[in-house]
Amino acid sequence: FNRARPSDADAGVRAAAPSNGLPGYPSEDAALSGVTAEMLKLLFPASVEEITLKAAQQRQAALLSGRATASDIAAGLALGKAIAN
């Protein structure tokens, strides 16, 4: 609870986007990519591979920018998929 974002917890981590001071989990980027990808897969079944790739890229961007940790992303993705289902 109230775990600091990676860039807030470690001065050696430089975030590409400014920190908003909120706790770092679950990742809103991952939750959004999870729910959006699941919905798009239903609407466009011929594009599942591309949708999956783009959603993964969105989550990777959150990780590489320092906005979220791997556990933040896993929690957000699970939340997003649960909402879609």
Side-chain angles (χ1 to χ4, degrees), residues 2-5 8 18-24:
N2 282 334
R3 182 175 57 172
R5 291 183 181 277
D8 293 339
S19 174
N20 58 13
L22 296 174

Side-chain angles (χ1 to χ4, degrees), residues 62-85:
L63 180 67
L64 295 177
S65 70
R67 290 185 50 169
T69 63
S71 62
D72 299 342
I73 292 170
L77 181 59
L79 180 60
K81 286 185 174 186
I83 291 168
N85 291 326

Side-chain angles (χ1 to χ4, degrees), residues 14 19 21 23 25 36 38 40 45-46 52 55 57 62 66 69 79-80 82 85:
R14 298 192 61 197
S19 174
Y25 65 95
T36 304
E38 293 304 309
L40 288 173
T52 303
Q57 289 173 343
T69 63
L79 180 60
N85 291 326

Side-chain angles (χ1 to χ4, degrees), residues 37-59:
E38 293 304 309
M39 300 300 286
L40 288 173
K41 288 176 190 178
L42 293 173
L43 294 170
F44 304 102
S47 300
V48 168
E49 187 176 329
E50 182 179 359
I51 292 165
T52 303
L53 176 65
K54 294 295 184 185
Q57 289 173 343
Q58 182 179 3
R59 294 188 301 272

